[in-house]
Amino acid sequence: MRYFIQLSYNGSAYHGWQIQPNAVTVQETIQDALSKLLNTNISITGAGRTDTGVHAFQMFAHFDVDETLDTENLTFKLNSFLPKDIAIQSIFQVNADAHSRFHAIKRSYDYKISLKKNVFLFDYTHYVHQKLDVDKMNEAAYILLEYTNFQCFSKSNTDVKTYNCKIEQAQWKQEGNLLIFTICADRFLRNMVRAIVGTLLNIGLSKIAVSDMHKILASKDRSKAGFSVPSKGLYLTEVLYPDNIKI
């Protein structure tokens, strides 16, 4: 039987989601805890591969097990077993072929920028003290919706088969001294959001023109785009699935 886990985590202490040698990751931490609680080797698959330091308000993963689980009790036990920076929201049974990564139809990210030095936000936002032209940044962000190939924002030497993504929302909103970039798409490439934000910041700082966004996208060249902003300001906020995956 296959189960989905809905969870959230503070990514500060982890080298991203995916298991890797000699590094503490979210996937390995949850997998080890589940294996101990269920007294069997459990392998979990996540909805995505967030990078080192990236946070998640909502993340999903799936795992298979032979027995029927008391999901409410397992959720309680798992939360008691896991460190304080990983929280399990729910565990629920899904169809045997439901896949947390491949069946996701939409993913959303927020990137948070602090416009004023704030000691309580320093570890969870990117601080920019220069004045930003948010109108220009939104004008450039809207251009993203005209394109499908985002190779220029992808980390080099990735094993993806396609650089195509369908972006349906890309927008900046200011809330007091916090500037939040929200982007939603069917899928994302490695480092894509952080590279987009860095490029938009260059536009907001008048280092490049809004029209340069077209040239950057057409180039398919990572070196033409802006810098990658720090991971601490990036949050996976939503992963959406079809209703029919649940049993």
Side-chain angles (χ1 to χ4, degrees), residues 89-119:
Q89 311 301 332
S90 64
I91 300 173
F92 53 93
Q93 192 174 356
V94 294
N95 296 320
D97 63 345
H99 198 288
S100 59
R101 181 182 177 189
F102 299 133
H103 285 167
I105 56 177
K106 186 177 83 169
R107 296 168 172 85
S108 300
Y109 282 90
D110 280 354
Y111 193 87
K112 298 185 178 184
I113 291 176
S114 182
L115 301 174
K116 185 177 181 180
K117 189 175 181 180
N118 186 321
V119 296

Side-chain angles (χ1 to χ4, degrees), residues 4-20:
F4 264 37
I5 308 170
Q6 181 183 342
L7 65 140
S8 57
Y9 54 85
N10 179 330
S12 301
Y14 299 95
H15 286 75
W17 166 266
Q18 190 174 19
I19 290 176
Q20 52 187 296

